[in-house]
Amino acid sequence: LESASSLEEWEKPKFEATMQEAIRILSTALPPDPNLKKPEAGLLDTSHPFCYVREFEEKSEESSDAGGDESSHGGDTGTVDDEEMEQQLRMLDDVVAQAFASSTDLYRTLLLRATAQTLLENWDTITTVTSGDIDRAAVAKTAIQPQRSTVNAKDVQKLFDCYSNESSKEWVRSWWNLIDADKDGLIDEEELTTVVDFAIKPVHLALTDMVNMSLEVCPLRTVALGSNETNDWFLGGDNITDIHTSSEALNPSSSESKAIKKLSWRNRRRELKARKALTKTFAATLERHFRDQVEVPHRLRCIYAWADKSHQGNKLDSILVDASEEWGAASSIVGSKRFVELEPKILYEEFRKEQERHFPHLDHIGEEVAMSFKEDLWVSQGKGRQNRELRNQCVLFLLGVSLVDVVIGVL
């Protein structure tokens, strides 16, 4: 990809071979084996950065200042035990910080693989010419195929660069340039929807892989790292901090970095059931959030309608198209000419101006999914509590009715 020039064009065989090779290379660099679908329910792999993902949290400046003040005054009343505790916490923070940096790199790798997968699966959509462009070419007496035979290699390479180092804003722009075949910066409303869908899809695929990997390397039903609990069921009563703050943490070559506890059938069943419920909820979040909650199709229609488009003076353009070849012999009956109303195209800058006001969710796609997933989990937990209360109330009601029947029968 790095050797691709701006003039190089890839046909479908070359394009597919390159994407397949990219997926193969990126999959090889991803631990653990992505083909592992049913991991051990009691597996704890402290060498994998996703094992510490539940410890990642955003620190505010106020909490950092407060922590600094506490540490500066801790020497006055601190004891030896407090110093040892602070040392363990600092060690744990170092491990988590290292895991966070590794997780960031790993997530970017997942994004790149998901981008290659998206490109590989959507060749036809990327290269299809819109009906508006076909009608414009017919008026201009220019021959144009309904589908392009090549894509620009430099645009593909730029797309990978953006997902590797840039933000969501540049992701959309790179997809825009790839879809824009004539390089005039203008695309139709149909192509605009395609661009936004393609910008979101790699994030969905990468987050799905990230969730699956996290479940492979750390049990779901456990307390967070650094907890004071001493009876963690998946460790058989061992303290989780004794493993995670050791020198073996985040060392893939260490044989002690993986702990596999043989669970009872009850605990194993509970773990797998909780894992299945979590992945099902996450899949539902991916499917519904942008489509139903954010209402992406509706927002894109509004953005396109409200944008001040310079193309065609932001007006419909009525053109007369020769339909004799399209309709064949039927043209003698219905006529050989037809009027077509062409919608104006939109520039990226025009889209961006309206998108910042009416569709800010596109600037932080991953955060949107994570927040929606958290809300879905809250709803799921609330339904569970509600169902338990309803079940208890039903049991009490039936017991009361039965008791009344018994009393009536005795009397």
Side-chain angles (χ1 to χ4, degrees), residues 129-257:
V129 179
T130 62
S131 57
D133 287 336
I134 294 177
D135 291 336
R136 289 185 178 91
V139 173
K141 305 298 182 181
T142 303
I144 185 172
Q145 297 297 323
Q147 189 168 8
R148 290 185 285 153
S149 59
T150 62
V151 295
N152 187 268
K154 193 65 176 180
D155 289 339
V156 176
Q157 186 255 334
K158 178 62 176 177
L159 185 65
F160 278 92
D161 288 343
C162 289
Y163 274 97
S164 177
N165 304 301
E166 304 295 340
S167 63
S168 302
K169 175 183 176 181
E170 296 302 322
W171 300 350
V172 176
R173 183 190 288 272
S174 60
W175 281 109
W176 192 291
N177 294 333
L178 182 62
I179 295 294
D180 180 25
D182 50 11
K183 304 306 176 187
D184 59 356
L186 296 166
I187 62 175
D188 293 331
E189 183 180 6
E190 177 184 350
E191 293 173 319
L192 173 62
T193 303
T194 301
V195 165
V196 174
D197 289 342
F198 283 171
I200 295 174
K201 187 175 181 180
V203 181
H204 284 183
L205 294 176
L207 288 176
T208 301
D209 290 337
M210 183 176 179
V211 169
N212 292 335
M213 285 187 177
S214 299
L215 295 177
E216 289 173 1
V217 299
C218 186
L220 177 61
R221 298 172 61 248
T222 178
V223 294
L225 302 184
S227 171
N228 293 324
E229 296 290 337
T230 57
N231 58 345
D232 302 326
W233 61 268
F234 69 96
L235 291 178
D238 295 334
N239 194 335
I240 194 171
T241 57
D242 293 339
I243 292 182
H244 287 272
T245 58
S246 66
S247 60
E248 307 296 339
L250 287 178
N251 182 9
S253 61
S254 174
S255 60
E256 299 180 4
S257 62

Side-chain angles (χ1 to χ4, degrees), residues 3-215:
S3 61
S5 65
S6 58
L7 300 178
E8 184 179 358
E9 297 287 331
W10 285 347
E11 294 184 350
K12 186 175 182 179
K14 171 66 174 177
F15 176 83
E16 290 182 343
T18 304
M19 294 303 104
Q20 290 172 354
E21 181 66 13
I23 293 173
R24 186 192 66 80
I25 294 174
L26 293 170
S27 298
T28 304
L30 293 176
D33 184 1
N35 295 323
L36 183 59
K37 299 300 182 182
K38 294 183 179 180
E40 291 289 337
L43 174 63
L44 181 70
D45 186 1
T46 59
S47 67
H48 199 284
F50 284 169
C51 182
Y52 306 83
V53 71
R54 68 190 67 193
E55 282 298 295
F56 300 157
E57 60 182 19
E58 184 178 359
K59 273 191 175 181
S60 62
E61 295 182 359
E62 295 179 359
S63 62
S64 300
D65 295 339
D69 294 339
E70 290 177 1
S71 61
S72 61
H73 296 290
D76 299 335
T77 58
T79 62
V80 177
D81 293 337
D82 293 336
E83 293 179 357
E84 292 180 356
M85 179 62 69
E86 290 180 1
Q87 183 178 3
Q88 291 180 1
L89 291 176
R90 283 195 297 269
M91 187 181 301
L92 182 60
D93 288 341
D94 292 340
V95 173
V96 173
Q98 183 182 354
F100 179 78
S102 301
S103 297
T104 302
D105 295 337
L106 187 52
Y107 176 65
R108 287 288 184 175
T109 305
L110 291 172
L111 268 179
L112 292 176
R113 187 177 70 172
T115 303
Q117 186 68 32
T118 303
L119 287 168
L120 181 62
E121 295 174 352
N122 293 279
W123 166 266
D124 292 338
T125 305
I126 293 171
T127 57
T128 297
V129 179
T130 62
S131 57
D133 287 336
I134 294 177
D135 291 336
R136 289 185 178 91
V139 173
K141 305 298 182 181
T142 303
I144 185 172
Q145 297 297 323
Q147 189 168 8
R148 290 185 285 153
S149 59
T150 62
V151 295
N152 187 268
K154 193 65 176 180
D155 289 339
V156 176
Q157 186 255 334
K158 178 62 176 177
L159 185 65
F160 278 92
D161 288 343
C162 289
Y163 274 97
S164 177
N165 304 301
E166 304 295 340
S167 63
S168 302
K169 175 183 176 181
E170 296 302 322
W171 300 350
V172 176
R173 183 190 288 272
S174 60
W175 281 109
W176 192 291
N177 294 333
L178 182 62
I179 295 294
D180 180 25
D182 50 11
K183 304 306 176 187
D184 59 356
L186 296 166
I187 62 175
D188 293 331
E189 183 180 6
E190 177 184 350
E191 293 173 319
L192 173 62
T193 303
T194 301
V195 165
V196 174
D197 289 342
F198 283 171
I200 295 174
K201 187 175 181 180
V203 181
H204 284 183
L205 294 176
L207 288 176
T208 301
D209 290 337
M210 183 176 179
V211 169
N212 292 335
M213 285 187 177
S214 299
L215 295 177

